Amino acid sequence: MSPHTPRPSPPLPTPPWWDDLSTAVMVTDGELRLQAMNGSAEVLLGLSRERILGHPLGHWLHLDRNLSTRLRSALVQDQPITLRARQMEPLRAESFLADVIITPLQGEGDEPGRLLFELSAIDRHERISREEQLQKQQAISRAVTRGLAHEIKNPLGGLRGAAQLLAGELDDPDLREYTRIIIHEADRLRALVDRMLGPNNMPQRTSVNLHEILEHVRGLISVQLPLGVKIRGDYDPSIPEIKADRDMLVQALLNLVQNALQALGDEGEIVLSSRILRQYTVSGKRHRLVARLSVRDNGPGIPEEVRERIFFPMITGRASGTGLGLPIAQSLVQLHDGLIECHSRPGSTRFDILLPVAGPPASESPEA
Protein backbone atom coordinates (compact mmCIF):
# COMPACT_ATOMS: atom_id res chain seq x y z
CA MET A 1 0.00 0.00 0.00
CA SER A 2 1.31 3.45 -0.92
CA PRO A 3 2.17 5.72 2.07
CA HIS A 4 -0.21 8.31 0.58
CA THR A 5 -3.15 5.87 0.39
CA PRO A 6 -5.41 6.03 3.49
CA ARG A 7 -5.64 2.71 5.30
CA PRO A 8 -9.17 1.26 5.14
CA SER A 9 -11.18 1.57 8.35
CA PRO A 10 -12.17 -1.78 9.93
CA PRO A 11 -15.91 -2.65 9.59
CA LEU A 12 -18.20 -2.63 12.62
CA PRO A 13 -20.48 -5.54 13.55
CA THR A 14 -24.17 -4.78 12.98
CA PRO A 15 -27.34 -6.49 14.27
CA PRO A 16 -29.27 -8.67 11.78
CA TRP A 17 -32.39 -6.49 12.02
CA TRP A 18 -30.55 -3.61 10.34
CA ASP A 19 -31.31 -5.18 6.98
CA ASP A 20 -35.06 -5.14 7.78
CA LEU A 21 -35.07 -1.33 7.92
CA SER A 22 -36.43 0.61 4.94
CA THR A 23 -34.34 3.60 6.07
CA ALA A 24 -30.76 3.59 4.81
CA VAL A 25 -28.32 3.54 7.73
CA MET A 26 -24.55 4.08 7.58
CA VAL A 27 -21.78 4.63 10.13
CA THR A 28 -18.47 6.35 9.35
CA ASP A 29 -15.39 7.01 11.45
CA GLY A 30 -14.04 10.50 12.06
CA GLU A 31 -12.35 10.49 8.64
CA LEU A 32 -15.71 9.72 6.96
CA ARG A 33 -14.66 6.18 6.07
CA LEU A 34 -17.57 3.75 5.98
CA GLN A 35 -17.59 1.25 8.83
CA ALA A 36 -21.14 -0.12 8.64
CA MET A 37 -24.22 0.04 6.40
CA ASN A 38 -27.47 -1.82 5.92
CA GLY A 39 -29.17 -3.27 2.85
CA SER A 40 -31.22 -0.14 2.16
CA ALA A 41 -28.01 1.90 2.01
CA GLU A 42 -26.60 -0.59 -0.52
CA VAL A 43 -29.67 0.01 -2.69
CA LEU A 44 -29.31 3.80 -2.60
CA LEU A 45 -25.56 3.76 -3.29
CA GLY A 46 -25.86 1.01 -5.91
CA LEU A 47 -22.99 -1.01 -4.43
CA SER A 48 -22.58 -3.90 -2.00
CA ARG A 49 -21.09 -3.33 1.44
CA GLU A 50 -18.38 -5.90 0.76
CA ARG A 51 -17.05 -3.59 -1.94
CA ILE A 52 -17.09 -0.23 -0.18
CA LEU A 53 -16.79 -0.74 3.60
CA GLY A 54 -13.57 0.68 4.96
CA HIS A 55 -13.23 3.30 2.23
CA PRO A 56 -14.15 7.02 2.28
CA LEU A 57 -17.85 7.78 1.86
CA GLY A 58 -16.91 10.49 -0.65
CA HIS A 59 -15.69 7.79 -3.07
CA TRP A 60 -19.28 6.59 -3.51
CA LEU A 61 -21.48 9.59 -2.61
CA HIS A 62 -20.88 13.15 -3.79
CA LEU A 63 -20.05 15.35 -0.77
CA ASP A 64 -19.56 19.02 -1.58
CA ARG A 65 -17.06 21.06 0.44
CA ASN A 66 -19.78 22.69 2.54
CA LEU A 67 -21.30 19.36 3.58
CA SER A 68 -17.91 17.80 4.32
CA THR A 69 -17.08 20.75 6.59
CA ARG A 70 -20.45 20.47 8.38
CA LEU A 71 -19.93 16.75 8.95
CA ARG A 72 -16.55 17.25 10.60
CA SER A 73 -17.89 20.16 12.66
CA ALA A 74 -20.80 18.00 13.84
CA LEU A 75 -18.37 15.41 15.13
CA VAL A 76 -16.19 17.98 16.94
CA GLN A 77 -19.12 19.95 18.40
CA ASP A 78 -21.30 16.88 19.08
CA GLN A 79 -24.23 18.51 17.24
CA PRO A 80 -26.60 16.50 15.02
CA ILE A 81 -27.48 17.70 11.51
CA THR A 82 -30.89 17.45 9.84
CA LEU A 83 -31.22 17.98 6.09
CA ARG A 84 -34.71 18.08 4.57
CA ALA A 85 -35.36 17.12 0.94
CA ARG A 86 -31.64 16.96 0.18
CA GLN A 87 -30.61 15.92 -3.35
CA MET A 88 -28.16 13.04 -2.91
CA GLU A 89 -25.89 12.02 -5.79
CA PRO A 90 -24.32 8.55 -5.59
CA LEU A 91 -21.49 8.06 -8.05
CA ARG A 92 -22.69 4.56 -9.08
CA ALA A 93 -26.49 4.94 -8.90
CA GLU A 94 -29.35 7.30 -9.70
CA SER A 95 -29.58 10.51 -7.67
CA PHE A 96 -32.43 10.68 -5.19
CA LEU A 97 -34.21 13.07 -2.84
CA ALA A 98 -33.94 12.23 0.86
CA ASP A 99 -34.42 13.47 4.40
CA VAL A 100 -31.06 13.01 6.14
CA ILE A 101 -30.29 12.87 9.87
CA ILE A 102 -26.61 12.76 10.89
CA THR A 103 -25.90 12.01 14.54
CA PRO A 104 -22.43 12.13 16.17
CA LEU A 105 -21.52 9.05 18.23
CA GLN A 106 -18.85 9.92 20.74
CA GLY A 107 -16.34 7.19 21.50
CA GLU A 108 -15.55 5.96 25.00
CA GLY A 109 -12.20 7.02 26.43
CA ASP A 110 -9.62 7.28 23.66
CA GLU A 111 -11.93 5.64 21.13
CA PRO A 112 -12.53 8.02 18.19
CA GLY A 113 -16.01 9.34 17.45
CA ARG A 114 -18.24 8.25 14.60
CA LEU A 115 -21.15 9.58 12.55
CA LEU A 116 -24.49 7.81 12.15
CA PHE A 117 -26.29 8.58 8.86
CA GLU A 118 -30.02 7.94 8.41
CA LEU A 119 -31.37 8.55 4.89
CA SER A 120 -35.08 8.30 4.10
CA ALA A 121 -35.64 8.46 0.36
CA ILE A 122 -38.78 10.55 -0.08
CA ASP A 123 -39.10 9.97 -3.82
CA ARG A 124 -39.76 6.22 -3.34
CA HIS A 125 -43.41 6.92 -2.63
CA GLU A 126 -43.59 8.77 -5.94
CA ARG A 127 -42.07 5.72 -7.66
CA ILE A 128 -44.62 3.40 -6.04
CA SER A 129 -47.49 5.70 -7.04
CA ARG A 130 -46.16 5.83 -10.62
CA GLU A 131 -45.85 2.04 -10.64
CA GLU A 132 -49.45 1.60 -9.50
CA GLN A 133 -50.64 4.02 -12.19
CA LEU A 134 -48.64 2.13 -14.81
CA GLN A 135 -50.25 -1.17 -13.79
CA LYS A 136 -53.75 0.32 -14.02
CA GLN A 137 -53.03 1.76 -17.46
CA GLN A 138 -51.64 -1.54 -18.69
CA ALA A 139 -54.65 -3.47 -17.36
CA ILE A 140 -56.94 -1.14 -19.34
CA SER A 141 -54.69 -1.45 -22.41
CA ARG A 142 -54.75 -5.27 -22.22
CA ALA A 143 -58.55 -5.30 -21.95
CA VAL A 144 -58.91 -3.02 -24.98
CA THR A 145 -56.34 -5.05 -26.95
CA ARG A 146 -58.18 -8.32 -26.22
CA GLY A 147 -61.45 -6.80 -27.41
CA LEU A 148 -59.87 -5.51 -30.61
CA ALA A 149 -58.12 -8.83 -31.21
CA HIS A 150 -61.43 -10.68 -31.00
CA GLU A 151 -63.04 -8.29 -33.49
CA ILE A 152 -60.10 -8.60 -35.89
CA LYS A 153 -59.43 -12.35 -35.73
CA ASN A 154 -63.00 -13.45 -36.47
CA PRO A 155 -63.30 -11.74 -39.90
CA LEU A 156 -59.69 -12.69 -40.68
CA GLY A 157 -60.62 -16.35 -40.26
CA GLY A 158 -63.57 -15.94 -42.62
CA LEU A 159 -61.43 -14.05 -45.14
CA ARG A 160 -58.75 -16.75 -45.12
CA GLY A 161 -61.30 -19.57 -45.49
CA ALA A 162 -63.01 -17.84 -48.40
CA ALA A 163 -59.67 -17.33 -50.14
CA GLN A 164 -58.85 -21.05 -49.75
CA LEU A 165 -62.23 -22.06 -51.23
CA LEU A 166 -61.77 -19.61 -54.10
CA ALA A 167 -58.31 -20.98 -54.84
CA GLY A 168 -59.79 -24.46 -55.28
CA GLU A 169 -62.19 -23.16 -57.92
CA LEU A 170 -59.61 -21.32 -60.00
CA ASP A 171 -57.68 -22.93 -62.83
CA ASP A 172 -55.62 -19.88 -63.80
CA PRO A 173 -52.31 -19.94 -61.80
CA ASP A 174 -52.07 -16.12 -61.97
CA LEU A 175 -55.46 -15.80 -60.24
CA ARG A 176 -54.48 -18.44 -57.65
CA GLU A 177 -51.43 -16.27 -56.85
CA TYR A 178 -53.82 -13.51 -55.73
CA THR A 179 -55.56 -15.91 -53.32
CA ARG A 180 -52.14 -17.02 -52.01
CA ILE A 181 -51.31 -13.38 -51.21
CA ILE A 182 -54.66 -12.96 -49.40
CA ILE A 183 -54.03 -16.09 -47.29
CA HIS A 184 -50.42 -15.01 -46.52
CA GLU A 185 -51.47 -11.52 -45.42
CA ALA A 186 -54.34 -12.90 -43.30
CA ASP A 187 -51.83 -15.19 -41.54
CA ARG A 188 -49.44 -12.27 -41.02
CA LEU A 189 -52.16 -10.11 -39.46
CA ARG A 190 -53.28 -12.96 -37.22
CA ALA A 191 -49.69 -13.45 -36.01
CA LEU A 192 -49.43 -9.70 -35.36
CA VAL A 193 -52.61 -9.78 -33.27
CA ASP A 194 -51.29 -12.77 -31.31
CA ARG A 195 -48.10 -10.83 -30.57
CA MET A 196 -50.14 -7.85 -29.39
CA LEU A 197 -51.93 -10.13 -26.91
CA GLY A 198 -48.60 -11.18 -25.42
CA PRO A 199 -47.58 -14.57 -23.98
CA ASN A 200 -50.32 -17.07 -23.21
CA ASN A 201 -48.28 -19.71 -21.38
CA MET A 202 -47.42 -19.65 -17.70
CA PRO A 203 -43.72 -19.67 -16.79
CA GLN A 204 -42.02 -23.08 -16.47
CA ARG A 205 -39.97 -22.21 -13.41
CA THR A 206 -36.63 -23.81 -12.68
CA SER A 207 -33.57 -22.62 -10.77
CA VAL A 208 -31.74 -20.16 -13.03
CA ASN A 209 -28.53 -18.19 -12.74
CA LEU A 210 -29.33 -14.60 -13.75
CA HIS A 211 -25.74 -13.86 -14.69
CA GLU A 212 -25.67 -16.83 -17.06
CA ILE A 213 -28.79 -15.41 -18.72
CA LEU A 214 -27.25 -11.94 -18.97
CA GLU A 215 -24.05 -13.35 -20.48
CA HIS A 216 -26.07 -15.48 -22.91
CA VAL A 217 -27.94 -12.40 -24.13
CA ARG A 218 -24.68 -10.43 -24.35
CA GLY A 219 -23.22 -13.20 -26.53
CA LEU A 220 -26.26 -13.24 -28.82
CA ILE A 221 -26.16 -9.47 -29.32
CA SER A 222 -22.36 -9.22 -29.68
CA VAL A 223 -22.39 -10.93 -33.09
CA GLN A 224 -24.65 -8.23 -34.59
CA LEU A 225 -23.08 -5.10 -33.07
CA PRO A 226 -21.90 -2.30 -35.36
CA LEU A 227 -18.18 -1.56 -35.03
CA GLY A 228 -18.83 1.61 -33.02
CA VAL A 229 -21.08 -0.03 -30.39
CA LYS A 230 -19.71 -1.78 -27.30
CA ILE A 231 -21.55 -3.98 -24.80
CA ARG A 232 -20.22 -4.92 -21.37
CA GLY A 233 -21.39 -6.48 -18.10
CA ASP A 234 -21.30 -5.17 -14.53
CA TYR A 235 -22.64 -7.85 -12.20
CA ASP A 236 -23.24 -8.21 -8.46
CA PRO A 237 -21.95 -11.70 -7.52
CA SER A 238 -24.11 -11.81 -4.39
CA ILE A 239 -27.35 -12.40 -6.35
CA PRO A 240 -28.61 -15.96 -5.70
CA GLU A 241 -30.32 -18.22 -8.19
CA ILE A 242 -34.05 -17.66 -8.57
CA LYS A 243 -36.99 -19.75 -9.75
CA ALA A 244 -37.91 -18.48 -13.22
CA ASP A 245 -38.59 -19.45 -16.82
CA ARG A 246 -35.19 -19.07 -18.48
CA ASP A 247 -36.52 -18.70 -22.02
CA MET A 248 -38.98 -15.98 -21.00
CA LEU A 249 -36.27 -13.96 -19.24
CA VAL A 250 -33.90 -14.36 -22.20
CA GLN A 251 -36.63 -13.04 -24.51
CA ALA A 252 -37.45 -10.10 -22.23
CA LEU A 253 -33.77 -9.10 -22.00
CA LEU A 254 -33.26 -9.56 -25.74
CA ASN A 255 -36.15 -7.19 -26.43
CA LEU A 256 -34.66 -4.57 -24.11
CA VAL A 257 -31.14 -4.90 -25.55
CA GLN A 258 -32.46 -4.78 -29.13
CA ASN A 259 -34.33 -1.61 -28.20
CA ALA A 260 -31.10 -0.08 -26.83
CA LEU A 261 -29.17 -1.13 -29.93
CA GLN A 262 -31.72 0.48 -32.24
CA ALA A 263 -31.59 3.68 -30.17
CA LEU A 264 -27.77 3.89 -30.43
CA GLY A 265 -27.43 3.46 -34.15
CA ASP A 266 -23.78 3.04 -35.16
CA GLU A 267 -22.03 4.35 -32.04
CA GLY A 268 -22.42 4.07 -28.26
CA GLU A 269 -22.30 1.68 -25.31
CA ILE A 270 -24.73 -0.78 -23.74
CA VAL A 271 -24.17 -1.90 -20.15
CA LEU A 272 -25.87 -4.98 -18.68
CA SER A 273 -25.80 -4.89 -14.89
CA SER A 274 -27.24 -6.69 -11.90
CA ARG A 275 -27.82 -5.60 -8.31
CA ILE A 276 -29.57 -7.01 -5.27
CA LEU A 277 -32.12 -4.71 -3.63
CA ARG A 278 -33.24 -5.18 -0.04
CA GLN A 279 -36.62 -4.20 1.44
CA TYR A 280 -37.89 -3.13 -1.97
CA THR A 281 -41.46 -2.74 -3.18
CA VAL A 282 -42.58 -4.30 -6.47
CA SER A 283 -46.22 -4.29 -7.59
CA GLY A 284 -47.43 -3.07 -4.21
CA LYS A 285 -45.62 -5.79 -2.23
CA ARG A 286 -42.50 -5.23 -0.20
CA HIS A 287 -39.89 -7.95 -0.66
CA ARG A 288 -36.83 -8.70 1.45
CA LEU A 289 -34.74 -9.33 -1.68
CA VAL A 290 -35.30 -8.17 -5.25
CA ALA A 291 -32.96 -8.82 -8.17
CA ARG A 292 -32.53 -5.83 -10.50
CA LEU A 293 -31.30 -6.53 -14.03
CA SER A 294 -30.56 -3.33 -15.93
CA VAL A 295 -30.00 -2.52 -19.59
CA ARG A 296 -28.44 0.94 -19.95
CA ASP A 297 -27.40 2.82 -23.06
CA ASN A 298 -25.92 6.27 -23.70
CA GLY A 299 -28.14 7.06 -26.65
CA PRO A 300 -30.34 10.13 -27.22
CA GLY A 301 -33.00 9.10 -24.71
CA ILE A 302 -36.71 8.44 -25.14
CA PRO A 303 -38.86 11.39 -26.30
CA GLU A 304 -40.90 12.79 -23.44
CA GLU A 305 -44.18 12.46 -25.36
CA VAL A 306 -43.56 8.70 -25.72
CA ARG A 307 -42.02 7.95 -22.31
CA GLU A 308 -45.25 7.58 -20.31
CA ARG A 309 -46.75 5.18 -22.87
CA ILE A 310 -43.62 3.22 -23.75
CA PHE A 311 -45.05 -0.13 -22.56
CA PHE A 312 -48.33 0.20 -24.49
CA PRO A 313 -48.71 -1.89 -27.68
CA MET A 314 -47.94 -0.14 -30.99
CA ILE A 315 -46.27 2.84 -29.24
CA THR A 316 -42.82 3.57 -30.66
CA GLY A 317 -40.52 6.54 -31.21
CA ARG A 318 -39.05 5.07 -34.41
CA ALA A 319 -40.61 5.05 -37.87
CA SER A 320 -39.50 1.43 -38.41
CA GLY A 321 -40.51 0.15 -34.97
CA THR A 322 -43.44 -2.20 -34.32
CA GLY A 323 -44.10 -0.99 -30.77
CA LEU A 324 -44.41 -4.59 -29.49
CA GLY A 325 -40.95 -5.45 -28.08
CA LEU A 326 -41.31 -3.53 -24.81
CA PRO A 327 -44.94 -4.53 -24.06
CA ILE A 328 -44.03 -8.20 -24.63
CA ALA A 329 -40.99 -7.87 -22.34
CA GLN A 330 -43.19 -6.27 -19.65
CA SER A 331 -45.75 -9.08 -19.94
CA LEU A 332 -43.05 -11.77 -19.63
CA VAL A 333 -41.60 -10.15 -16.50
CA GLN A 334 -45.04 -9.60 -14.94
CA LEU A 335 -45.67 -13.35 -15.27
CA HIS A 336 -42.78 -13.67 -12.76
CA ASP A 337 -44.46 -11.21 -10.33
CA GLY A 338 -41.93 -8.62 -11.46
CA LEU A 339 -41.94 -5.33 -13.30
CA ILE A 340 -39.89 -3.33 -15.81
CA GLU A 341 -39.22 0.33 -15.03
CA CYS A 342 -37.80 2.91 -17.42
CA HIS A 343 -35.55 5.87 -16.55
CA SER A 344 -34.52 8.10 -19.43
CA ARG A 345 -32.91 11.45 -20.10
CA PRO A 346 -30.77 12.67 -23.00
CA GLY A 347 -27.55 10.64 -22.97
CA SER A 348 -28.79 7.89 -20.64
CA THR A 349 -31.66 5.41 -20.82
CA ARG A 350 -32.02 2.54 -18.36
CA PHE A 351 -34.57 -0.26 -18.25
CA ASP A 352 -34.70 -2.14 -14.93
CA ILE A 353 -36.16 -5.64 -14.65
CA LEU A 354 -37.24 -6.11 -11.03
CA LEU A 355 -37.66 -9.76 -9.96
CA PRO A 356 -38.55 -10.81 -6.41
CA VAL A 357 -36.15 -13.41 -5.07
CA ALA A 358 -37.84 -16.53 -3.63
CA GLY A 359 -39.50 -16.02 -0.27
CA PRO A 360 -42.65 -14.44 1.15
CA PRO A 361 -43.14 -10.69 0.87
CA ALA A 362 -41.70 -8.76 3.82
CA SER A 363 -44.80 -6.60 4.08
CA GLU A 364 -47.93 -5.82 2.14
CA SER A 365 -47.48 -2.10 2.74
CA PRO A 366 -45.35 -0.13 0.24
CA GLU A 367 -42.72 1.26 2.57
CA ALA A 368 -39.71 0.94 0.34
Side-chain angles (χ1 to χ4, degrees):
M1 181 180 292
S2 166
H4 301 291
T5 304
R7 187 176 299 276
S9 182
L12 294 175
T14 58
W17 52 263
W18 261 38
D19 284 331
D20 292 329
L21 297 174
S22 59
T23 299
V25 181
M26 300 181 292
V27 176
T28 70
D29 63 12
E31 298 301 317
L32 301 183
R33 294 174 296 187
L34 279 165
Q35 292 187 302
M37 62 190 299
N38 68 350
S40 294
E42 288 182 304
V43 171
L44 292 184
L45 295 184
L47 290 162
S48 66
R49 69 193 82 184
E50 289 80 7
R51 184 171 179 180
I52 63 177
L53 283 182
H55 299 282
L57 177 61
H59 285 185
W60 319 109
L61 183 68
H62 176 67
L63 302 175
D64 58 43
R65 183 176 300 177
N66 179 52
L67 181 56
S68 297
T69 301
R70 290 184 67 184
L71 293 176
R72 289 186 168 85
S73 297
L75 192 60
V76 172
Q77 299 173 10
D78 195 20
Q79 291 291 327
I81 299 173
T82 301
L83 306 172
R84 297 296 181 190
R86 171 88 182 197
Q87 186 72 26
M88 309 300 292
E89 297 181 1
L91 303 186
R92 297 294 183 88
E94 291 288 318
S95 61
F96 59 93
L97 207 61
D99 290 334
V100 185
I101 300 175
I102 304 160
T103 306
L105 304 175
Q106 295 302 323
E108 297 181 3
D110 294 334
E111 185 180 350
R114 300 185 176 95
L115 289 175
L116 171 68
F117 292 74
E118 300 171 74
L119 292 81
S120 300
I122 60 180
D123 53 358
R124 285 188 178 183
H125 297 290
E126 180 183 343
R127 179 187 67 82
I128 293 168
S129 176
R130 188 172 62 247
E131 178 183 300
E132 291 173 348
Q133 182 65 22
L134 173 64
Q135 289 179 314
K136 290 178 183 177
Q137 291 174 339
Q138 288 183 320
I140 294 171
S141 174
R142 282 194 296 268
V144 172
T145 301
R146 288 193 187 99
L148 286 173
H150 178 75
E151 295 299 322
I152 293 172
K153 289 173 79 170
N154 281 346
L156 275 179
L159 180 67
R160 189 184 193 281
Q164 286 178 314
L165 291 173
L166 181 60
E169 299 294 328
L170 296 173
D171 296 326
D172 188 333
D174 291 336
L175 294 178
R176 283 202 302 270
E177 176 64 16
Y178 293 135
T179 61
R180 188 197 66 79
I181 292 172
I182 294 171
I183 293 170
H184 178 270
E185 288 303 299
D187 289 341
R188 184 184 65 81
L189 288 173
R190 187 181 183 90
L192 177 62
V193 170
D194 287 339
R195 288 178 64 199
M196 288 176 61
L197 289 173
N200 293 319
N201 300 327
M202 293 303 293
Q204 302 300 309
R205 295 177 185 258
T206 59
S207 291
V208 297
N209 184 315
L210 294 175
H211 297 143
E212 184 274 328
I213 292 176
L214 286 163
E215 280 297 288
H216 177 70
V217 170
R218 189 164 76 96
L220 292 175
I221 292 295
S222 294
V223 299
Q224 55 181 291
L225 288 180
L227 290 177
V229 176
K230 306 296 182 186
I231 184 168
R232 63 181 178 89
D234 176 19
Y235 306 142
D236 180 351
S238 70
I239 296 181
E241 290 190 347
I242 70 169
K243 294 285 187 180
D245 187 309
R246 182 184 182 278
D247 290 341
M248 284 188 174
L249 293 187
V250 167
Q251 187 61 57
L253 279 163
L254 270 176
N255 288 6
L256 296 182
V257 177
Q258 288 281 11
N259 188 74
L261 185 58
Q262 291 166 0
L264 287 177
D266 295 327
E267 187 174 359
E269 182 182 52
I270 299 172
V271 180
L272 306 182
S273 64
S274 65
R275 295 292 183 269
I276 195 74
L277 310 178
R278 291 178 169 82
Q279 302 301 327
Y280 204 80
T281 299
V282 178
S283 301
K285 293 183 179 180
R286 186 175 169 208
H287 298 270
R288 290 186 176 88
L289 292 177
V290 170
R292 185 182 74 193
L293 311 182
S294 299
V295 177
R296 186 174 75 247
D297 70 74
N298 59 354
I302 300 171
E304 188 173 351
E305 63 272 15
V306 175
R307 203 174 302 157
E308 295 299 320
R309 300 174 291 130
I310 196 71
F311 292 110
F312 289 2
M314 313 305 289
I315 300 297
T316 178
R318 295 184 300 274
S320 60
T322 64
L324 293 175
L326 294 179
I328 289 172
Q330 184 73 276
S331 297
L332 291 169
V333 171
Q334 286 179 340
L335 287 173
H336 291 79
D337 304 314
L339 193 72
I340 301 180
E341 294 183 340
C342 174
H343 310 271
S344 184
R345 66 177 189 274
S348 176
T349 295
R350 194 185 82 228
F351 285 91
D352 293 334
I353 295 179
L354 303 172
L355 295 169
V357 176
S363 171
E364 295 299 318
S365 59
E367 298 175 12

